[in-house]
Amino acid sequence: MTTEPAPNQTLRPKRVLVLGATGTIGRATTNALVHLGYDVTCLVRPASDVGALAGVTLVQADVTDPATLERDAFGDPPYDAVISCLASRTGAPQDAWAIDHQATVNVIDAARATGVQQFVLLSAICVQRPRLAFQHAKLAAEQALIASGLTYSIVRPTAYFKSLSGQIARVRAGRPYLLFGDGELTACTPISDRDLGAYMASCLTAPERQNRILPIGGPGPALTPRAMGTHLFSLLDKPPIFKHVPVGMMRGIAGGLGLVSRVIPSLAAKAEFARIGLYYATESMLVLNEDTGHYDRGTTPSTGADTLFDYYADVIDGKATVERGDHSVF
């Protein structure tokens, strides 16, 4: 009779390359991988803030340059898997097609050329009903990954906590909570960075999450903007005060900027930002039922235990900060 040694005594940890590791989701995914014992390498830009990344190897490469990407980021032996959390900073068309699509395709090609077997891609649930440049760019990247022959997991998360926290300071200062329309036009099941990072890491070992497109949200019921605002007022012990922004006005602004940008190209980015704002004011971040054309909480998978309202409480108590950055338009 023989006794097999413990796995960690005979098998090397899987080598995983993470892209976009300095973003909030990338950091959470990296932390989850390190916690699970993977050998993690993070590709970063030369000027990136890597202070929050610990227990990893850092490499620098330009994801927009295929030759240097393969030379500087992909070594020998090959990585076992790549996890890409790359995302354009603003969602503007030029940025979206450069990063959400082309840079991602560059990474897919380099992974395939160097013998990587598995690829996990962070996408977005809003690509179900694409109307914006960054959504079309992400969809094109998804298709490139599916066609690559790699074992893939395409993760489409719902709304992030940070994207739904921009009005905390406003309400705390005594100003009204802004609602688009009546505040009941949309709903979502927000997911925390930590829960999403853990889910991304789990795709490496969960066969049921491989070669699939994976919509994923957080726990609890679907929340409307009005419900979020009402709870925020309650946490701050303030009476709810709402200000309604007509959706028709937003449509007019977006349409007007779109027309003017045809004459003044420098306004094209502002026109796209207006369209992005309109999209998120009118479309839910839930699974879309293609038969009915309606969004459905019942078929939107969920994971984790962190809730948006717990996060709100932590921000109010100073235990968490709101990292919005260039994505504040969302």
Side-chain angles (χ1 to χ4, degrees):
M1 177 178 178
T2 60
T3 301
E4 292 190 10
N8 61 2
Q9 293 177 333
T10 60
L11 301 178
R12 66 168 177 83
K14 274 192 173 182
R15 299 179 68 237
V16 182
L17 177 66
V18 180
L19 297 99
T22 57
T24 56
I25 307 304
R27 288 201 305 268
T29 302
T30 298
N31 290 339
L33 291 167
V34 171
H35 177 73
L36 291 169
Y38 288 96
D39 179 358
V40 183
T41 297
C42 296
L43 188 155
V44 298
R45 298 186 304 273
S48 297
D49 179 7
V50 297
L53 297 176
V56 304
T57 300
L58 300 176
V59 296
Q60 295 183 356
D62 183 357
V63 293
T64 65
D65 184 340
T68 60
L69 175 65
E70 185 172 331
R71 183 193 68 209
D72 297 338
F74 287 81
D76 185 24
Y79 295 104
D80 297 291
V82 170
I83 296 182
S84 177
C85 299
L86 289 175
S88 56
R89 288 176 173 269
T90 64
Q94 184 175 358
D95 192 23
W97 283 103
I99 302 300
D100 292 301
H101 175 251
Q102 191 56 58
T104 302
V105 170
N106 292 344
V107 176
I108 293 168
D109 290 343
R112 183 173 54 182
T114 56
V116 174
Q117 298 297 311
Q118 190 172 3
F119 200 110
V120 180
L121 176 64
L122 178 66
S123 187
I125 203 166
C126 61
V127 301
Q128 298 174 111
R129 187 172 272 170
R131 294 175 182 163
L132 305 165
F134 83 89
Q135 296 166 339
H136 289 289
K138 285 183 179 295
L139 275 175
E142 288 186 6
Q143 291 304 311
L145 177 56
I146 292 170
S148 70
L150 299 171
T151 297
Y152 68 86
S153 300
I154 296 171
V155 181
R156 292 179 175 177
T158 60
Y160 301 146
F161 287 5
K162 64 181 180 181
S163 301
L164 302 172
S165 303
Q167 296 199 62
I168 294 177
R170 177 186 179 88
V171 171
R172 178 181 262 163
R175 301 171 67 188
Y177 190 99
L178 297 178
L179 293 176
F180 300 107
D182 63 359
E184 302 285 344
L185 296 174
T186 65
C188 63
T189 54
I191 186 168
S192 72
D193 295 347
R194 177 171 56 186
D195 286 340
L196 180 55
Y199 185 86
M200 295 279 290
S202 73
C203 291
L204 297 179
T205 54
E208 69 276 11
R209 295 178 184 171
Q210 295 168 6
N211 295 323
R212 290 190 60 192
I213 292 175
L214 303 162
I216 191 67
L223 301 174
T224 65
R226 178 177 285 278
M228 296 176 206
T230 299
H231 196 87
L232 179 56
F233 281 110
S234 176
L235 288 172
L236 290 166
D237 197 24
K238 293 176 178 289
I241 304 173
F242 295 104
K243 181 177 180 180
H244 299 268
V245 179
V247 173
M249 182 181 74
M250 295 184 66
R251 293 188 194 280
I253 293 172
L257 282 171
L259 290 173
V260 173
S261 68
R262 297 179 184 178
V263 180
I264 308 174
S266 61
L267 293 178
K270 288 186 177 180
E272 185 70 3
F273 296 153
R275 287 190 287 268
I276 290 171
L278 176 61
Y279 186 96
Y280 283 101
T282 55
E283 299 288 340
S284 291
M285 298 297 109
L286 298 169
V287 167
L288 180 65
N289 185 318
E290 295 184 358
D291 293 331
T292 65
H294 297 140
Y295 293 102
D296 185 0
R297 171 63 183 101
T299 57
T300 303
S302 64
T303 188
D306 299 337
T307 71
L308 178 66
F309 295 154
D310 288 339
Y311 176 73
Y312 280 179
D314 284 345
V315 171
I316 291 168
D317 292 340
K319 299 176 183 177
T321 58
V322 180
E323 298 182 58
R324 286 168 62 77
D326 292 315
H327 293 278
S328 60
V329 69
F330 298 162

